[in-house]
Amino acid sequence: MERQALIDLLELLYSQKIDVDQAAEQLRNIPFHDLDFAKVDHHRSLRVGHPEVIFCQGKSTWQILEIVRHQISADETVFGTRADKQALDALKSEFREIEISETGRCFWRKSKNWKPKQDVKGQIVIASGGTSDAPVVEEARLSVEILGHPCIAIQDVGVAGIHRLFAHYSQLQKASVAIVVAGMEGALPSVVSGLISSPIIGVPTSIGYGANLNGMVALLAMLNSCASGLTVVNIDNGFGAACAAVRMNSLSV
Amino acid sequence: MERQALIDLLELLYSQKIDVDQAAEQLRNIPFHDLDFAKVDHHRSLRVGHPEVIFCQGKSTWQILEIVRHQISADETVFGTRADKQALDALKSEFREIEISETGRCFWRKSKNWKPKQDVKGQIVIASGGTSDAPVVEEARLSVEILGHPCIAIQDVGVAGIHRLFAHYSQLQKASVAIVVAGMEGALPSVVSGLISSPIIGVPTSIGYGANLNGMVALLAMLNSCASGLTVVNIDNGFGAACAAVRMNSLSV
Amino acid sequence: MERQALIDLLELLYSQKIDVDQAAEQLRNIPFHDLDFAKVDHHRSLRVGHPEVIFCQGKSTWQILEIVRHQISADETVFGTRADKQALDALKSEFREIEISETGRCFWRKSKNWKPKQDVKGQIVIASGGTSDAPVVEEARLSVEILGHPCIAIQDVGVAGIHRLFAHYSQLQKASVAIVVAGMEGALPSVVSGLISSPIIGVPTSIGYGANLNGMVALLAMLNSCASGLTVVNIDNGFGAACAAVRMNSLSV
Amino acid sequence: MERQALIDLLELLYSQKIDVDQAAEQLRNIPFHDLDFAKVDHHRSLRVGHPEVIFCQGKSTWQILEIVRHQISADETVFGTRADKQALDALKSEFREIEISETGRCFWRKSKNWKPKQDVKGQIVIASGGTSDAPVVEEARLSVEILGHPCIAIQDVGVAGIHRLFAHYSQLQKASVAIVVAGMEGALPSVVSGLISSPIIGVPTSIGYGANLNGMVALLAMLNSCASGLTVVNIDNGFGAACAAVRMNSLSV
Amino acid sequence: MERQALIDLLELLYSQKIDVDQAAEQLRNIPFHDLDFAKVDHHRSLRVGHPEVIFCQGKSTWQILEIVRHQISADETVFGTRADKQALDALKSEFREIEISETGRCFWRKSKNWKPKQDVKGQIVIASGGTSDAPVVEEARLSVEILGHPCIAIQDVGVAGIHRLFAHYSQLQKASVAIVVAGMEGALPSVVSGLISSPIIGVPTSIGYGANLNGMVALLAMLNSCASGLTVVNIDNGFGAACAAVRMNSLSV
Amino acid sequence: MERQALIDLLELLYSQKIDVDQAAEQLRNIPFHDLDFAKVDHHRSLRVGHPEVIFCQGKSTWQILEIVRHQISADETVFGTRADKQALDALKSEFREIEISETGRCFWRKSKNWKPKQDVKGQIVIASGGTSDAPVVEEARLSVEILGHPCIAIQDVGVAGIHRLFAHYSQLQKASVAIVVAGMEGALPSVVSGLISSPIIGVPTSIGYGANLNGMVALLAMLNSCASGLTVVNIDNGFGAACAAVRMNSLSV
Amino acid sequence: MERQALIDLLELLYSQKIDVDQAAEQLRNIPFHDLDFAKVDHHRSLRVGHPEVIFCQGKSTWQILEIVRHQISADETVFGTRADKQALDALKSEFREIEISETGRCFWRKSKNWKPKQDVKGQIVIASGGTSDAPVVEEARLSVEILGHPCIAIQDVGVAGIHRLFAHYSQLQKASVAIVVAGMEGALPSVVSGLISSPIIGVPTSIGYGANLNGMVALLAMLNSCASGLTVVNIDNGFGAACAAVRMNSLSV
Amino acid sequence: MERQALIDLLELLYSQKIDVDQAAEQLRNIPFHDLDFAKVDHHRSLRVGHPEVIFCQGKSTWQILEIVRHQISADETVFGTRADKQALDALKSEFREIEISETGRCFWRKSKNWKPKQDVKGQIVIASGGTSDAPVVEEARLSVEILGHPCIAIQDVGVAGIHRLFAHYSQLQKASVAIVVAGMEGALPSVVSGLISSPIIGVPTSIGYGANLNGMVALLAMLNSCASGLTVVNIDNGFGAACAAVRMNSLSV
């Protein structure tokens, strides 16, 4: 459509219905996003398969319901993260078709047009240190799935019982991309980075107490890893890790 | 060889020269790295095309020279990072064949067997905010090159003059993976993440003064980016970003 | 009145009803605020057009009501910030004439004498990174308005979709003063500073999670901006930014 | 010139020498900075009256000399900040026409075309807490002067001897914009903000020791000021304060 | 009594009822607090005029009531700090004779033996920056009073309206010891230290928001004061300031 | 069992029912924890005398009940830490046999097989600075007891009344290992380290307010102790201190 | 003199040589420091017995020499702190009459008019934790002496060997004011506060390494002391502690 | 001797040469360290087998030489830590009998009376993450040896190549006490704690750069370990770890 606006303008000029000065003036007044530039945004929409992820933290239940009503009426894929129990209950009672993960604090409904990416060859593996990291693992896992990529999760393989990790060694080695989730001392991504050759995304969690500084220690430990190939996202940011993993995995087309 | 040790043991059992108990006992005494496990390490060597990167910070010039002498006599590829001027001068005067980047604080010599990766399809793009970030850009660029991947660098396109970035828009869009280097407020990776759909690695630098906290502000700003698809490495860690980028780019085979 | 006290004293001396020593003694006993010095305070009252802004955070609903009752009985302009829902509800039910912004956590009533500044030429523009910054934007916008200066707000133009900002480029360029509000990585003020030549006031917000350190990262990022012309206020301090913007805009008389 | 390129293209279309598709294609290939957008940058140059400020910290003496040689040969106005003694000595011995401030760690040469802003009505006042803040005061004062605005400095009027400040009360009241420089507890800007009605820019300095955290305490104290109308820049950032003050003072035209 | 135990032992030796070895052995078994050393503790009780201050934070209402019951039954002076509303209400309903300050979060009952110190010459003055500092002022004021020293409080004389402080100049000058309470930027103690020659105790409060770091900024600002004669206590520690002031004022006997 | 799997495989080879290549392949597919390695974990279970400690913080009452039901039905020793009042009440009402410490936020039931370690010679002594440290002391004391080691606790012997500590000097000297618990300034472990020659474990607590940074000050003070022989665990980590003390005391067999 | 200016003005009015309006106008133009107010400053000079303490840190040797030359030519008492070896050597070689403490980094010369305070009854005692704290002890001791108060120092009585402190128990008890200097864990002031009833000033030092955060840990530990009567100054601030101690000790007149 | 002083006093009383009051008075005047109390100190000397460890950091070469001269003339065992190259060179040239470790920054000479502890059964094992940790490992190893306990070191077994650690599994399992040294992310102690059942002492090192905060990240990671049995000492504190390990190992007598 926007491209059409540009074409229309140029055709007016070509047919000499406006002159060069008028055309130049109008060109400058077309907002940038009306030009090719805005494709970035559209491209993103197409790529992730849903128009908008709803980050619910700080939004009222009423606001969330409004957005979801709008998206469902337009038959868009719905995906929301960081929803509290009150919001999830309200969604469940109003929309039968919405699926919910209390652990992952997420909800979703795939539109009719949603389908998994078919040309992606690799599988994303999510590994976590302890059972308390489950909310972050679940947020990452569901995000990857909604974005259409294959994914498995291996939980509770923290470094204090390192043999548990080795029991899953072959699964890890097959990962196209690994998301490694850990709280407390945040050591698991370092160990995994030394075991496999794929890109690793470390996700520190706020799990712990006392001098864990709400996850800052796990975050900083991952950034200071002596292992190469490891990059890091914000504390508890399962969704962000999923987005980055999907960008990486899309290279394996 | 190590695999051979295992095979030998099994053959002794097969030919009934030892019994089951003896075999079980010996199996337990073979150190783990003598089993398949240690392949991880060998695999890493093969993958990066050089036996060891020399991290020179904290090493004496004498120690660096010793390592390089050993590597050259074995005709290995040599690559060193974070070398100060004294070390670079000493290397230059002793080894004619070693190349040097004062800006990047690196030195290298490719062995006869070194060759670029031939099955990699994507190009890694490095973008930086200001001219002062050059040492980190150079460390990243040289690391990528030694690791055998194609790479270009776009410097001085910081957010305070955002039009400079747009002049390189098409180059950025062609990136398989982007490494984005920035000091001070560390905003460039956020902007780039919104412009392209490839994975982005943010590298904060210690460039700045006063309340920049030696790069911590740039680091934390990148981790709190409102853009998705961005992951982050340690302050000034050009080499680490290169390793991660190469792992990602290897997915584009 | 206070000046009168001084005049009275001097006239007693002039008419020789007291002697020099008595005058000197009494002069020292007149508190400083009884002299010209206290005009500073009065001048401030006159300048901002209301006797007192009520900072509600930490005050009980009862205390707030008491202050408002007093101000309304004196037909003063009322303006309160950082009021929680309970206080706003109580105000609404007691005073019909009070207006309220739930988003901005503010309430106000203009006295009969209130009128917009008429000699001010410039317009203050408020830009924000995301919809979650709305409370701070609203606090700033209402503060500017009560202080009598013209103001518009442009919301949700954060750096992760930089084309959105450019769509408002001409509005920004017309700003006499720009207040730029951003949470998370706090990069928007840097970008705006490079686009326009007016003074920019950065307002970091506490929006974000994990390693955002409750807004400290956005604050520090703005202070380390590579762009010139940018100054910064405390986290979430929309009112403070408005006061500073009004001081600046008053220069455009 | 760039606008010309656009006009040329449109005229080709108007004269039907190219068709609409070709025009649309070429329009997309014109880099953004070739459009009106890049004027921002030129505008900045025109506004500040010199092509580039040289931030010397982190540059070698040789690099600084090279830049200055280039600027002088083009008869541009030269202005450098944060130069160490070695650089200043080298500049002095090579260029007779360059002026130098050891205290302010600055050097400058005004080109033939340089002249003070003539339509600016207000005067910028710089106040500082102690004599140790002199380098920052001097950097700010020289920056304001090179940018063509009138400026006076009042030094050593810190809060521990508050009467010293009052002795300069009338000078402060006449300020169009006040830059207030203070280290240690950083209290001076708060006091000044209560005394005058102009915009105040607080500049924390790294002066102090022990728990001053290299100026972070002064910085944070200013940001938490109970006085309104105060905005803040980075630690020791005299140049940044000058740029912001000049933007504000330009409103007084 | 304890001294008696020692005397008894020595007399047994003197009368040769035990020998030297037995005496040496028994001397080593007398716990230290049975010797003169324990007088320190008794001396403290005598000095402060009440057996124990009840720090209520973290204690249950039930625990507080138990302690108060015990003290009242022994006719001791009761003094409690940091009590929440629930505890104060419970105390009020059980004990008619207990007095309460909701603002200061304190309660007290003077025993029959309580009387003000009669040989103390100086008066302690408490000054505060804003009305929100009232709880800390009140805790300090009541503590000083219970400890038997004369005290006055001057509130809301913060540095953003410095003339308010000067109106109380003569009161401040008469202070034997000054306790200066301030939140936000914590500048008031610095200003007061320059005005009077008595010892000043700075009490930072947690009043403020955003980058005030819950009072750490006020605390650090006071510690970095450019004024001499100022010492500092913990955030919100009105009781601690009172204890220190009383120790100082006791020198004025 | 797992060992059996290995034996079975080897016997197949010995009896030549599989060949060497098949054996080698299968050996690599046996997960590591099926080998001797996993004994580490079993060994831990045996050592501590209970299958699993339940860390209740972050677990729902329902989840805790489920785990306890499972353990009791298997007649395992039950031990839970960091349980809130709701969980403790629920446990009490469902299981008559469970014992509870509200102060220590713990619950436990010893299985029929539980018995104290009989070959341990030393006694663990826990000392604490103040009565508010009681929850941490209690958690440590109960943990040591459940782990089967002898233990006594000496409370409220903080450094501000140092004679109280000396009254317990002989008890301290007899300690095989000392756990020293302190909040606020965290000085007690330093003093104890100078008095006795056994290993000391410092446990900082979050007791305090204002600039205590939730226990970080006590933690850092202990780590910077000028006394030797002192090691430190996380804030409020009574259970961790108990585990470490038990490992040390087990050397005294 | 300044008072005279006021008197002169009032006499002109009294003799009706000027009228009331003229007097009011002139009164407003007399700078504040010309009124009684400025006595504060003079009073300070008189009180401390020397016109200016030279804080040498950050001053060049040349600047220090200039100030000393000026003071000696005016026969003023000279006192300088934080002087490095170069400055001390230069002072020694130029001025025979100047005394020097290399340990305390101080120099001084008493003028002919200098004499100890004669009406002060109390003695200031300085205690320190270790021999490495000697520079701070010495700075404090010399400052107290130059300010004319009696003083003794007890060094190396840190808490890790607490019996060393008790050996000086009677000296401590006689202290009018105690300055307690300690680095590392900063525990000594807490212990001393429990032993004596005089005011205690804690001086944290930067002695230590690793997690001592350059003295911040000792500083924060002292502020969180569980002992009452303790106030604190900045890290290594021996001079500030001396000034505060002298203010306190002056109450004992 | 000191005991003798006590005995002498008691005998004077027994023989009635002094009376009870005189004895009581003299007993109170004997400094505490003259009583049994001071044995603590002597006991420490005996226990560690050398009179004093010289902590050289912050001491001049001249001061170190003086101490060593004194110790050698008294034929005491000499042991110094944190000595720089200049000091080591000076020691080497003056004392032939002194041994030196440049890596460990230590020097030592065993006196004739020195001998290894003979009743200690356990061996202390030191493991480290990387070769850069060697100085801390060496300081710990030499300290343990001088203190007379058996010790071995396993270096460069960091978590990024976890198989290297497993190669030393049996050595680790035989450790009586393990000292685990690691910089960067500090993960090694967590992994080791899960592998063995002995007490583990974590020693964080300052090895790393950027966001490692000079070792604070490694320190905090260790304190937040999800593994039990781990206690921690200050950054780079090899000597402190050795002292604690020796205290623990002494339990294995």
Side-chain angles (χ1 to χ4, degrees), chain F:
Chain F
M1 202 126 39
E2 284 131 4
R3 184 176 169 83
Q4 197 52 48
L6 176 64
I7 296 296
D8 290 351
L9 173 63
L10 296 179
E11 284 184 344
L12 286 177
L13 181 67
Y14 184 75
S15 56
Q16 300 188 354
K17 288 187 181 136
I18 58 174
D19 65 15
V20 165
D21 276 356
Q22 288 170 312
E25 192 55 33
Q26 286 189 38
L27 267 172
R28 289 180 48 192
N29 288 335
I30 296 179
F32 277 8
H33 76 270
D34 290 347
L35 292 176
D36 200 22
F37 204 55
K39 277 186 185 162
V40 173
D41 203 36
H42 293 179
H43 179 61
R44 188 173 55 168
S45 298
L46 294 172
R47 191 177 69 248
V48 298
H50 59 90
E52 180 108 36
V53 172
I54 312 167
F55 183 78
C56 298
Q57 190 173 303
K59 290 205 177 67
S60 69
T61 295
W62 181 84
Q63 287 175 311
I64 296 166
L65 286 172
E66 272 299 282
I67 300 171
V68 172
R69 281 175 202 132
H70 173 84
Q71 290 183 329
I72 284 188
S73 71
D75 189 32
E76 291 174 347
T77 287
V78 174
F79 186 50
T81 63
R82 308 271 167 128
D84 57 23
K85 198 166 176 336
Q86 189 191 19
L88 293 177
D89 288 349
L91 285 160
K92 244 188 318 204
S93 71
E94 181 167 339
F95 306 101
R96 253 191 313 183
E97 64 269 49
I98 277 198
E99 290 177 273
I100 265 163
S101 162
E102 285 207 5
T103 303
R105 296 165 301 169
C106 293
F107 57 87
W108 66 96
R109 195 207 65 148
K110 295 173 185 166
S111 81
K112 273 181 247 133
N113 304 316
W114 186 91
K115 56 175 189 246
K117 303 291 155 198
Q118 291 178 328
D119 46 2
V120 161
K121 284 181 291 189
Q123 185 183 52
I124 295 169
V125 173
I126 307 174
S128 78
T131 49
S132 325
D133 299 318
V136 178
V137 169
E138 200 62 4
E139 182 183 302
R141 196 184 62 76
L142 289 165
S143 303
V144 170
E145 190 193 316
I146 292 291
L147 296 170
H149 286 241
C151 181
I152 60 162
I154 306 169
Q155 301 203 48
D156 199 18
V157 292
V159 297
I162 200 79
H163 61 287
R164 296 176 297 177
L165 179 64
F166 293 140
H168 296 275
Y169 186 40
S170 62
Q171 279 175 303
L172 279 168
Q173 276 197 315
K174 284 177 204 139
S176 172
V177 178
I179 295 173
V180 185
V181 179
M184 304 182 91
E185 80 271 64
L188 189 58
S190 292
V191 174
V192 174
S193 281
L195 295 180
I196 69 175
S197 63
S198 307
I200 317 272
I201 301 167
V203 189
T205 71
S206 51
I207 295 300
Y209 63 91
N212 82 324
L213 306 177
N214 302 315
M216 282 300 289
V217 171
L219 172 67
L220 291 169
M222 290 180 191
L223 286 162
N224 284 286
S225 173
C226 49
S228 74
L230 170 62
T231 57
V232 184
V233 297
N234 197 356
I235 298 161
D236 291 335
N237 192 4
F239 174 69
C243 290
V246 160
R247 286 196 181 201
M248 294 173 198
N249 203 37
S250 297
L251 295 173
S252 72
V253 175

Side-chain angles (χ1 to χ4, degrees), chain C residues 54-71:
Chain C
I54 312 166
F55 183 79
C56 298
Q57 191 173 302
K59 290 204 175 69
S60 69
T61 295
W62 181 84
Q63 287 174 310
I64 297 166
L65 286 172
E66 271 298 283
I67 299 172
V68 172
R69 279 175 204 133
H70 173 83
Q71 290 183 329

Side-chain angles (χ1 to χ4, degrees), chain H:
Chain H
M1 201 124 40
E2 285 131 3
R3 184 177 169 84
Q4 198 51 51
L6 175 64
I7 296 296
D8 289 351
L9 173 64
L10 296 178
E11 285 185 341
L12 285 176
L13 182 68
Y14 185 75
S15 56
Q16 304 187 350
K17 290 190 178 129
I18 59 177
D19 66 16
V20 165
D21 276 357
Q22 286 171 314
E25 192 54 34
Q26 286 190 40
L27 267 172
R28 289 181 49 193
N29 288 335
I30 295 179
F32 278 6
H33 74 269
D34 290 349
L35 292 175
D36 200 23
F37 205 54
K39 277 187 184 162
V40 175
D41 204 34
H42 293 178
H43 180 61
R44 188 173 58 170
S45 297
L46 294 172
R47 189 176 70 249
V48 298
H50 59 89
E52 181 106 38
V53 173
I54 311 166
F55 183 78
C56 298
Q57 192 173 302
K59 290 205 176 69
S60 69
T61 296
W62 181 85
Q63 287 174 310
I64 297 166
L65 287 172
E66 272 297 284
I67 300 171
V68 172
R69 280 176 202 132
H70 173 84
Q71 291 183 327
I72 284 187
S73 70
D75 190 31
E76 291 173 349
T77 288
V78 174
F79 185 49
T81 63
R82 308 272 168 124
D84 59 22
K85 198 166 177 332
Q86 188 191 18
L88 293 176
D89 288 349
L91 286 159
K92 240 186 323 202
S93 72
E94 180 166 340
F95 307 100
R96 253 192 313 183
E97 62 270 51
I98 278 198
E99 290 177 272
I100 264 163
S101 162
E102 285 207 4
T103 303
R105 297 164 301 172
C106 295
F107 57 86
W108 66 95
R109 193 206 68 148
K110 295 174 185 164
S111 80
K112 273 182 244 131
N113 303 319
W114 185 91
K115 57 176 186 243
K117 304 289 154 198
Q118 290 179 328
D119 45 3
V120 162
K121 282 180 292 189
Q123 185 184 52
I124 296 168
V125 173
I126 306 173
S128 79
T131 48
S132 325
D133 300 317
V136 179
V137 170
E138 201 62 4
E139 182 183 301
R141 195 183 64 74
L142 289 166
S143 303
V144 170
E145 193 193 315
I146 291 290
L147 296 171
H149 287 241
C151 180
I152 61 163
I154 306 169
Q155 302 203 48
D156 200 18
V157 291
V159 299
I162 198 81
H163 61 286
R164 295 175 298 177
L165 179 64
F166 293 140
H168 295 276
Y169 186 40
S170 62
Q171 279 176 300
L172 278 168
Q173 276 196 314
K174 285 178 206 138
S176 171
V177 179
I179 294 172
V180 185
V181 180
M184 305 183 92
E185 79 272 62
L188 189 58
S190 291
V191 174
V192 173
S193 281
L195 295 179
I196 70 175
S197 62
S198 308
I200 317 274
I201 301 167
V203 189
T205 70
S206 52
I207 295 300
Y209 62 93
N212 81 326
L213 305 177
N214 301 316
M216 281 301 289
V217 170
L219 172 67
L220 291 168
M222 291 180 190
L223 286 164
N224 284 285
S225 173
C226 49
S228 72
L230 171 61
T231 56
V232 184
V233 296
N234 197 357
I235 299 162
D236 291 335
N237 191 4
F239 173 69
C243 290
V246 160
R247 285 195 182 202
M248 295 174 198
N249 203 37
S250 296
L251 297 173
S252 73
V253 175

Side-chain angles (χ1 to χ4, degrees), chain A residues 3 6-7 10-11 13-21 23-25 27-28 32 35-37 39, chain D residues 3 6-7 10-11 13-21 23-25 27-28 32 35-37 39:
Chain A
R3 182 174 169 87
L6 175 63
I7 297 297
L10 295 179
E11 282 184 347
L13 181 67
Y14 185 74
S15 56
Q16 300 187 354
K17 288 189 179 130
I18 59 172
D19 64 15
V20 164
D21 276 359
E25 192 53 34
L27 268 172
R28 289 182 47 194
F32 277 8
L35 292 176
D36 200 23
F37 204 55
K39 276 188 186 161
Chain D
R3 184 173 170 86
L6 176 63
I7 296 297
L10 296 179
E11 283 184 345
L13 181 67
Y14 185 73
S15 56
Q16 301 188 352
K17 290 191 178 129
I18 61 174
D19 64 16
V20 165
D21 276 359
E25 192 54 34
L27 268 172
R28 288 180 50 192
F32 276 9
L35 292 175
D36 201 22
F37 204 54
K39 278 185 185 163

Side-chain angles (χ1 to χ4, degrees), chain G residues 128-227:
Chain G
S128 79
T131 47
S132 324
D133 300 317
V136 178
V137 170
E138 200 63 3
E139 182 184 300
R141 195 183 63 74
L142 289 165
S143 302
V144 169
E145 190 192 316
I146 292 290
L147 296 171
H149 286 241
C151 181
I152 60 162
I154 306 169
Q155 301 204 49
D156 200 17
V157 291
V159 298
I162 199 81
H163 60 288
R164 296 176 297 178
L165 179 64
F166 294 139
H168 296 276
Y169 186 38
S170 60
Q171 278 176 302
L172 279 168
Q173 277 196 314
K174 285 178 205 139
S176 171
V177 179
I179 295 173
V180 185
V181 180
M184 306 183 90
E185 78 273 64
L188 189 58
S190 291
V191 174
V192 173
S193 281
L195 294 181
I196 68 175
S197 62
S198 309
I200 316 274
I201 301 167
V203 190
T205 70
S206 52
I207 295 302
Y209 63 91
N212 82 325
L213 306 177
N214 301 316
M216 281 301 287
V217 170
L219 172 67
L220 291 168
M222 290 181 192
L223 287 162
N224 284 286
S225 174
C226 49

